[in-house]
Amino acid sequence: MKTILICYCALFFLNMQAQTQPWQGKFEPIDHMIAPPNSYRTASGAPGKAYWQQRADYNIKVTLDETNNTISGNETITYYNNSPDDLNYLWIQLEQNVNKKGNQDFGGISNDLKDGITARNMQFLTRAIDFPAGYSIKYIKDNSGNSLKFLINNTMMKVLLNTPLKSGSSLTFSIGWSYTITDRSMFKLSREGYEYFPSDDNTVYLIAHWFPRMAVYNDTEGWQNQQFQRLGEFALEFGDYEVEITVPEDHIVASTGTLQNAEDVLSKTQRDRLEKARQSFDQPILIVTEEEAKANEKTKTKKQKTWRFKAKNVRDFAFASSRKFIWDAQAVKLPTNTVMAMSFYPKEGMPVWQEESTKAIKHALEVYSEATFDYPYPVCISVNTSNIGMEFPMISFNGGRPKNGQMTKNAKAGMIGTIIHEVGHNWFPMIVSSDERKWMWMDEGLNTFLHQRTVAERYPDFSSTTPKSIVPFMSGDKNILRPIMTTSDNELLSQFGSNFYRKPTVGLQMLRNSIVGKELFDAAFKEYANRWKYKHPNPGDLFRTLEDATATDLDWFFRGWFFTTDHVDMELSNVTWFKVYEAEQNIENRKQNIQLKSENQDTRVATQDFSDGPEVIKMSATPDDAYGGFLSRLDEEAVRQQLLGKNLYEVNIKNVGGLVMPVTIEWTYTDGSTEIDRLPADIWRRNEYEVKHTFVKDKEVKTVTLDPNFEFADTNTDNNSFPKSESQSVFDRFKNNQ
């Protein structure tokens, strides 16, 4: 009895372990790794019937003080509580506080002090020159003029409501504020601020993250009030904007939205040129010429004027202002919309920006629209600045500048790539509005995937990201590597670009080109974009949609590529050659030079090449009891005749890197011809570490190679071929063919 009790307890303990520690095989479902479906988000990856999200409309008046480099404004926010919850307080984002002296540092982006260091890096580390960063909140009042209490915690502000905001109701309140505009040269990863030009004593202002903005409240985590720590970007609600921007009279303003008072802020000539640009589909029209911009640099008026803009259904608002701007524009015709593509740049960007910027916008608008949905907004703007690439609805700030009017091919490719990438962010996350602060890969990775597709299609001479691009990263030290499913602010800076940009891009390229297929994948990707435009998707929504819209089990891929640091390293450990001959034939006479080997496959010795010729298979008759209950019999002689004289190759492949992938095999025959066979990743289901597969070939094989076109980022191609002594490295062949 004691023995039985011990056994029972042991079985009970093992059963409990099995329940609490689910099997983590490479092909097990990822259901427990992503949020479960519910009435808000369905198991198919689509928004559910009960899906909801909040909304915030803004009416803002702001003044730019060029003399003191300050900005001050007041805003009225109408916040709609569409959630099923009553809210006692609201959270508002104050990103300008990230540089406020004395605020929590969150762990520096770059905090190495060296014996040799530039003055600029020393400023990043020590803030030797003080800067009065951060908001001054003047008031917060409700719609009746009553003051609302508020508490500020670094980059987040909690507004305490006098009465709860009931589910289904709205609240209107106002905020007065001001701050000193950031000198972008003084702070690491400064996404906004001003750039000063000493040669003509002028400034380009990039005004972003400039007004207190509502934080997201959603069904998956409530308030997204994670602090802004510079790397993780933004989570924002959609709304309508009416914005009045007061700037020096000689400034030109580029902005989110549609200009409402062109007759007040533009000259008759400029308005005529702008109207002409609306009909110009083949080339940009200059609205402000280089000569006019140079003349404008000298004016420095103290007068002001106000530009008024409206934007519908956007999640943010940004603008740029300067008297230095040259401005060009042209129309881009999409199937359902005509967009004004526009570029603003100082003379320092000439001539390359005039030649390339608006053209790059056009290419991005066309390729992204085809891949997802037509760009829905009336304008798309690229503004030139230094050392940056940053996106906002309808407008982006982009680096890349010639030196003495010249740019190398690589520098120009980098500039054009930056413009395409930042324009592309209009789709991800400005419309398909994922949470950048939590899952940066969801916008950067998906956007880079389409950015690289745009480059490959419209600029084929430029290099673009491919599976080989990620090999050095995937081969890295597993002790420090982190999976893609790492939240934005917890990633090592050295891995940031690889893990959040390139690795997701390569993963989507693999799905499109080699796993799902272009037609099926493109339709599924478009389905995801359209399901979640103007909404807030999570990783599980993307994963489920791609499976739902392709009828393909991709959990094995998502698990390995997104949740682990495993890499691809498939080893072609052996290839064995066989032939079938007539049963009654004297094998020694038929093939004099073949030395018969044991029929027991478990004792076969791995060959180094095919020089010993094939092993001979002696097919015997099948015993009746092997057919079980079947009364019919296979035509065994027909089977023999079908295989008679053919070449059978048993391929043995080992999974060294841990990441399962489909297997692509290239056969090079003795006559010089080649052939490709493809096996799905499912071949690893029964054994995740080693598989064997048999192929029947009419011709004799000279060499066998895995992943000949380098589709799967295999980190070690030296073990991809058989015979090894006669085969060139796959990676070397791939490089030589580029």
Side-chain angles (χ1 to χ4, degrees), residues 194-209:
Y194 68 81
E195 178 184 1
Y196 177 66
F197 292 78
S199 62
D200 52 57
D201 188 30
N202 274 298
T203 305
V204 169
Y205 293 93
L206 309 177
I207 307 301
H209 322 134

mmCIF file of all heavy atoms in Angstrom, residues 194-209:
data_model
loop_
_atom_site.group_PDB
_atom_site.id
_atom_site.type_symbol
_atom_site.label_atom_id
_atom_site.label_comp_id
_atom_site.label_asym_id
_atom_site.label_seq_id
_atom_site.Cartn_x
_atom_site.Cartn_y
_atom_site.Cartn_z
ATOM 1 N N TYR A 194 15.164 72.423 -32.162
ATOM 2 C CA TYR A 194 15.597 73.345 -33.211
ATOM 3 C C TYR A 194 17.011 73.031 -33.658
ATOM 4 O O TYR A 194 17.820 72.463 -32.929
ATOM 5 C CB TYR A 194 15.481 74.800 -32.760
ATOM 6 C CG TYR A 194 16.429 75.251 -31.663
ATOM 7 C CD1 TYR A 194 17.749 75.605 -31.948
ATOM 8 C CD2 TYR A 194 15.989 75.361 -30.349
ATOM 9 C CE1 TYR A 194 18.609 76.042 -30.951
ATOM 10 C CE2 TYR A 194 16.834 75.791 -29.350
ATOM 11 C CZ TYR A 194 18.151 76.125 -29.646
ATOM 12 O OH TYR A 194 19.004 76.554 -28.650
ATOM 13 N N GLU A 195 17.283 73.397 -34.916
ATOM 14 C CA GLU A 195 18.623 73.293 -35.490
ATOM 15 C C GLU A 195 19.051 74.699 -35.894
ATOM 16 O O GLU A 195 18.377 75.365 -36.689
ATOM 17 C CB GLU A 195 18.630 72.364 -36.701
ATOM 18 C CG GLU A 195 20.001 72.255 -37.359
ATOM 19 C CD GLU A 195 19.986 71.415 -38.624
ATOM 20 O OE1 GLU A 195 18.901 70.936 -39.006
ATOM 21 O OE2 GLU A 195 21.067 71.264 -39.226
ATOM 22 N N TYR A 196 20.169 75.144 -35.336
ATOM 23 C CA TYR A 196 20.662 76.501 -35.579
ATOM 24 C C TYR A 196 21.723 76.484 -36.681
ATOM 25 O O TYR A 196 22.583 75.599 -36.724
ATOM 26 C CB TYR A 196 21.247 77.077 -34.297
ATOM 27 C CG TYR A 196 21.853 78.460 -34.461
ATOM 28 C CD1 TYR A 196 21.052 79.555 -34.778
ATOM 29 C CD2 TYR A 196 23.221 78.657 -34.313
ATOM 30 C CE1 TYR A 196 21.601 80.813 -34.941
ATOM 31 C CE2 TYR A 196 23.778 79.916 -34.471
ATOM 32 C CZ TYR A 196 22.968 80.989 -34.787
ATOM 33 O OH TYR A 196 23.511 82.235 -34.951
ATOM 34 N N PHE A 197 21.666 77.479 -37.592
ATOM 35 C CA PHE A 197 22.603 77.605 -38.704
ATOM 36 C C PHE A 197 23.431 78.869 -38.492
ATOM 37 O O PHE A 197 22.974 79.987 -38.789
ATOM 38 C CB PHE A 197 21.840 77.694 -40.026
ATOM 39 C CG PHE A 197 21.141 76.428 -40.415
ATOM 40 C CD1 PHE A 197 19.938 76.075 -39.810
ATOM 41 C CD2 PHE A 197 21.666 75.580 -41.375
ATOM 42 C CE1 PHE A 197 19.281 74.916 -40.160
ATOM 43 C CE2 PHE A 197 21.024 74.413 -41.736
ATOM 44 C CZ PHE A 197 19.825 74.073 -41.125
ATOM 45 N N PRO A 198 24.658 78.752 -37.977
ATOM 46 C CA PRO A 198 25.469 79.936 -37.668
ATOM 47 C C PRO A 198 25.789 80.793 -38.889
ATOM 48 O O PRO A 198 25.930 82.013 -38.775
ATOM 49 C CB PRO A 198 26.755 79.345 -37.069
ATOM 50 C CG PRO A 198 26.380 77.960 -36.631
ATOM 51 C CD PRO A 198 25.329 77.503 -37.576
ATOM 52 N N SER A 199 25.907 80.174 -40.070
ATOM 53 C CA SER A 199 26.352 80.932 -41.248
ATOM 54 C C SER A 199 25.395 82.069 -41.605
ATOM 55 O O SER A 199 25.824 83.118 -42.107
ATOM 56 C CB SER A 199 26.514 79.996 -42.448
ATOM 57 O OG SER A 199 25.270 79.397 -42.769
ATOM 58 N N ASP A 200 24.103 81.886 -41.379
ATOM 59 C CA ASP A 200 23.149 82.957 -41.683
ATOM 60 C C ASP A 200 22.308 83.338 -40.473
ATOM 61 O O ASP A 200 21.325 84.065 -40.601
ATOM 62 C CB ASP A 200 22.252 82.565 -42.864
ATOM 63 C CG ASP A 200 21.584 81.215 -42.675
ATOM 64 O OD1 ASP A 200 20.877 81.040 -41.670
ATOM 65 O OD2 ASP A 200 21.768 80.336 -43.534
ATOM 66 N N ASP A 201 22.691 82.816 -39.284
ATOM 67 C CA ASP A 201 22.022 83.181 -38.031
ATOM 68 C C ASP A 201 20.515 82.913 -38.104
ATOM 69 O O ASP A 201 19.696 83.757 -37.762
ATOM 70 C CB ASP A 201 22.287 84.658 -37.698
ATOM 71 C CG ASP A 201 21.781 85.028 -36.299
ATOM 72 O OD1 ASP A 201 21.780 84.143 -35.425
ATOM 73 O OD2 ASP A 201 21.360 86.191 -36.112
ATOM 74 N N ASN A 202 20.179 81.700 -38.574
ATOM 75 C CA ASN A 202 18.776 81.306 -38.669
ATOM 76 C C ASN A 202 18.564 79.928 -38.069
ATOM 77 O O ASN A 202 19.525 79.201 -37.771
ATOM 78 C CB ASN A 202 18.308 81.328 -40.126
ATOM 79 C CG ASN A 202 17.848 82.706 -40.553
ATOM 80 O OD1 ASN A 202 16.899 83.251 -40.010
ATOM 81 N ND2 ASN A 202 18.552 83.291 -41.535
ATOM 82 N N THR A 203 17.295 79.567 -37.927
ATOM 83 C CA THR A 203 16.929 78.353 -37.220
ATOM 84 C C THR A 203 15.824 77.621 -37.962
ATOM 85 O O THR A 203 14.932 78.247 -38.544
ATOM 86 C CB THR A 203 16.434 78.693 -35.796
ATOM 87 O OG1 THR A 203 17.443 79.452 -35.124
ATOM 88 C CG2 THR A 203 16.144 77.442 -35.001
ATOM 89 N N VAL A 204 15.904 76.297 -37.950
ATOM 90 C CA VAL A 204 14.798 75.452 -38.395
ATOM 91 C C VAL A 204 14.197 74.804 -37.154
ATOM 92 O O VAL A 204 14.904 74.143 -36.380
ATOM 93 C CB VAL A 204 15.263 74.374 -39.390
ATOM 94 C CG1 VAL A 204 14.144 73.348 -39.632
ATOM 95 C CG2 VAL A 204 15.682 75.013 -40.715
ATOM 96 N N TYR A 205 12.916 75.006 -36.957
ATOM 97 C CA TYR A 205 12.213 74.458 -35.790
ATOM 98 C C TYR A 205 11.416 73.217 -36.197
ATOM 99 O O TYR A 205 10.620 73.257 -37.143
ATOM 100 C CB TYR A 205 11.263 75.503 -35.195
ATOM 101 C CG TYR A 205 11.968 76.678 -34.579
ATOM 102 C CD1 TYR A 205 12.213 77.831 -35.321
ATOM 103 C CD2 TYR A 205 12.391 76.642 -33.254
ATOM 104 C CE1 TYR A 205 12.875 78.913 -34.766
ATOM 105 C CE2 TYR A 205 13.054 77.732 -32.679
ATOM 106 C CZ TYR A 205 13.290 78.855 -33.441
ATOM 107 O OH TYR A 205 13.941 79.935 -32.883
ATOM 108 N N LEU A 206 11.650 72.130 -35.469
ATOM 109 C CA LEU A 206 10.885 70.898 -35.634
ATOM 110 C C LEU A 206 10.063 70.723 -34.369
ATOM 111 O O LEU A 206 10.590 70.355 -33.314
ATOM 112 C CB LEU A 206 11.821 69.701 -35.823
ATOM 113 C CG LEU A 206 12.911 69.841 -36.895
ATOM 114 C CD1 LEU A 206 13.799 68.607 -36.895
ATOM 115 C CD2 LEU A 206 12.294 70.060 -38.268
ATOM 116 N N ILE A 207 8.789 70.993 -34.448
ATOM 117 C CA ILE A 207 7.957 71.047 -33.246
ATOM 118 C C ILE A 207 7.108 69.778 -33.173
ATOM 119 O O ILE A 207 6.151 69.598 -33.938
ATOM 120 C CB ILE A 207 7.074 72.308 -33.236
ATOM 121 C CG1 ILE A 207 7.945 73.548 -33.441
ATOM 122 C CG2 ILE A 207 6.308 72.397 -31.930
ATOM 123 C CD1 ILE A 207 9.040 73.739 -32.395
ATOM 124 N N ALA A 208 7.483 68.899 -32.242
ATOM 125 C CA ALA A 208 6.796 67.620 -32.079
ATOM 126 C C ALA A 208 6.793 67.242 -30.607
ATOM 127 O O ALA A 208 7.649 67.708 -29.838
ATOM 128 C CB ALA A 208 7.488 66.534 -32.903
ATOM 129 N N HIS A 209 5.849 66.395 -30.224
ATOM 130 C CA HIS A 209 5.671 66.037 -28.821
ATOM 131 C C HIS A 209 5.606 67.314 -27.995
ATOM 132 O O HIS A 209 6.179 67.424 -26.921
ATOM 133 C CB HIS A 209 6.812 65.130 -28.323
ATOM 134 C CG HIS A 209 7.253 64.132 -29.344
ATOM 135 N ND1 HIS A 209 8.559 63.885 -29.632
ATOM 136 C CD2 HIS A 209 6.536 63.333 -30.171
ATOM 137 C CE1 HIS A 209 8.642 62.982 -30.594
ATOM 138 N NE2 HIS A 209 7.418 62.640 -30.938
#
